[in-house]
Amino acid sequence: MKRRQFLATAAGGVAATALAAPAVGQSMPEVRWRLQSAFPKSLDTLWGGADLFCRLVSDLTEGRFQIQPFAAGEIVGTFQVADAVGDGTVEAGYATTYYYVGKDPTFALPCDFPFGPNARQKTAWMYHGGGLDLCNEFFAKHRMYAVPAGNTGAQMGGWYRKEIKTVQDLQGLKIRIGGLGGQVLQQLGAVPQQIAAGDIYPALERGTIDAAEFVGPYDDEKLGFSKVAPFYYYPGWWDGGPLIHVMININRWNALPKVYRAAVNAAAAQTYIDVLGKYDARNPAAVRRLVGAGAQLRPFSQELMEAAFKASNELYDEISTKNPDFKKLYESVRAFRNEEYLWFQVAEYAYDSFLIRSRAK
């Protein structure tokens, strides 16, 4: 009799445990969001980041929190993503925030700016230098919360119809470029144009623009720039390590259960690793193919680099006198960058320089 009572009690306990697990899951709400990417589906690196992020959030929440990604233009265009997130047209966006410097130049700093930190240093500033909190203090003023979810690494300096040897060669040059890099080039005599990825090639082909920068070899090859502009310059001094963010409407973010916020952060971190790793893995073969097909690789001259550095610092000083948000973020990231390079020149630079010199042996 006691044995039967024990088995009945044990069976009841197992059943209660089995019922308790789904009950916990059922207590979590089903959430359905839309995410507007700033990038077209033809760019598997950048579109792929948005798609991966959404899939990971679903996996981490057993399908209860689902985010549907939309390619550039499917709901709003590339340069309207920040507004669409802020006003609640969509719950989230996936973009490089320097696309929105027209709203406020401070939007460049969470992403990238001329002569900013490299990709590793930017990550360190975000997560261990106070950058994430400072950036979200600013984003909140635009009704957004944002988390890093990708990085391209250092970019190229773009495609040009003619050689660019001196600063004088920039005079009147119509170039597609976003962010503060365009403002610096404008100070050096160029005419910057902000054009979405899918519209760059036609503009180059028709001669509406004389040059264009986008990301680097893998994406640039897909977009076909080498067919209409043979000179490929480096480095992209305006993009040393640009972050891509998932931007979230702040009311939607604040309404999320804690476990869903954790899922967003975890998914964004994994996406960050995947996007940066994909670029590092695919750019070497792409630049080989481009050069093999006739692209003429050129470094920017020391004269041009120094002029751009000087103009950049003058621009930042000018903006800082008028914009306290910019000043606050810029002073933080500049100090962090300078301290990082104090260290990078010791071990990192020496190590990389040796292996670069030894590669051909």
Side-chain angles (χ1 to χ4, degrees):
M1 186 68 183
K2 288 181 179 179
R3 181 174 179 273
R4 285 197 298 272
Q5 287 176 335
F6 171 79
L7 290 173
T9 302
V14 170
T17 302
L19 288 171
V24 171
Q26 289 167 8
S27 70
M28 300 307 295
E30 290 196 359
V31 176
R32 299 290 181 269
W33 280 7
R34 297 186 302 172
L35 178 147
Q36 175 63 68
S37 172
F39 310 107
K41 290 183 179 179
S42 58
L43 297 173
D44 62 300
T45 45
L46 295 169
W47 165 255
D51 185 59
L52 175 62
F53 169 76
C54 295
R55 286 189 283 112
L56 288 169
V57 168
S58 178
D59 290 346
L60 288 165
T61 61
E62 297 186 344
R64 301 192 72 81
F65 183 8
Q66 293 190 17
I67 306 174
Q68 182 179 359
F70 291 85
E74 289 186 340
I75 301 176
V76 300
T78 295
F79 303 116
Q80 289 76 49
V81 175
D83 284 337
V85 173
D87 67 23
T89 299
V90 293
E91 291 81 7
Y94 187 76
T96 45
T97 61
Y98 60 19
Y99 281 164
Y100 312 110
V101 294
K103 292 167 62 66
D104 186 320
T106 311
F107 269 99
L109 301 180
C111 175
D112 214 349
F113 56 97
F115 303 102
N118 65 25
R120 277 182 55 187
Q121 295 165 355
K122 188 72 66 59
T123 306
W125 175 65
M126 275 286 177
Y127 290 104
H128 297 282
L132 190 61
D133 289 339
L134 285 173
C135 290
N136 275 309
E137 182 181 311
F138 166 72
F139 286 137
K141 297 180 180 181
H142 296 270
R143 304 181 302 280
M144 295 191 302
Y145 179 85
V147 289
N151 197 311
T152 69
Q155 295 188 5
M156 292 291 283
W159 299 85
Y160 299 75
R161 292 178 172 276
K162 65 176 185 178
E163 287 189 89
I164 304 296
K165 295 181 178 179
T166 68
V167 175
Q168 185 61 35
D169 293 327
L170 295 174
Q171 303 307 304
L173 184 88
K174 297 187 294 293
I175 178 171
R176 182 273 176 195
I177 185 171
L180 295 180
Q183 295 184 31
V184 173
L185 283 172
Q186 188 172 24
Q187 290 190 10
L188 297 177
V191 183
Q193 312 282 321
Q194 186 151 279
I195 303 172
D199 299 323
I200 301 172
Y201 182 88
L204 262 179
E205 187 178 38
R206 292 193 303 265
T208 306
I209 56 175
D210 307 306
E213 65 82 35
F214 189 63
V215 175
Y218 184 71
D219 285 344
D220 292 357
E221 182 184 35
K222 282 181 170 293
L223 294 172
F225 299 148
S226 62
K227 299 173 185 176
V228 287
F231 298 102
Y232 198 21
Y233 277 86
Y234 65 90
W237 42 265
W238 47 79
D239 274 326
L243 289 170
I244 308 157
H245 282 80
V246 170
M247 304 179 295
I248 301 168
N249 178 275
I250 198 163
N251 293 329
R252 297 287 187 165
W253 172 256
N254 289 336
L256 281 180
K258 186 177 180 180
V259 67
Y260 285 7
R261 294 191 197 181
V264 166
N265 287 326
Q270 181 59 46
T271 302
Y272 189 110
I273 294 168
D274 185 81
V275 171
L276 182 56
K278 191 178 291 184
Y279 274 114
D280 283 344
R282 295 184 179 179
N283 277 332
V287 76
R288 283 180 181 275
R289 290 192 297 267
L290 287 166
V291 171
Q296 299 187 45
L297 212 55
R298 298 280 193 277
F300 284 127
S301 68
Q302 185 70 16
E303 174 204 328
L304 193 150
M305 293 290 287
E306 289 178 358
F309 186 71
K310 180 175 182 292
S312 296
N313 289 326
E314 290 172 352
L315 176 65
Y316 304 148
D317 289 344
E318 179 185 347
I319 297 173
S320 293
T321 62
K322 306 172 185 176
N323 188 321
D325 289 329
F326 184 95
K327 185 175 188 293
K328 187 174 184 179
L329 263 72
Y330 176 62
E331 288 182 348
S332 171
V333 71
R334 179 183 60 185
F336 196 87
R337 177 202 64 190
N338 292 345
E339 187 71 8
E340 286 288 283
Y341 272 112
L342 182 65
W343 157 240
F344 268 61
Q345 72 181 0
V346 178
E348 299 284 349
Y349 180 74
Y351 180 77
D352 288 345
S353 295
F354 174 80
L355 285 177
I356 289 168
R357 292 193 303 271
S358 302
R359 187 173 61 88
K361 291 182 180 179

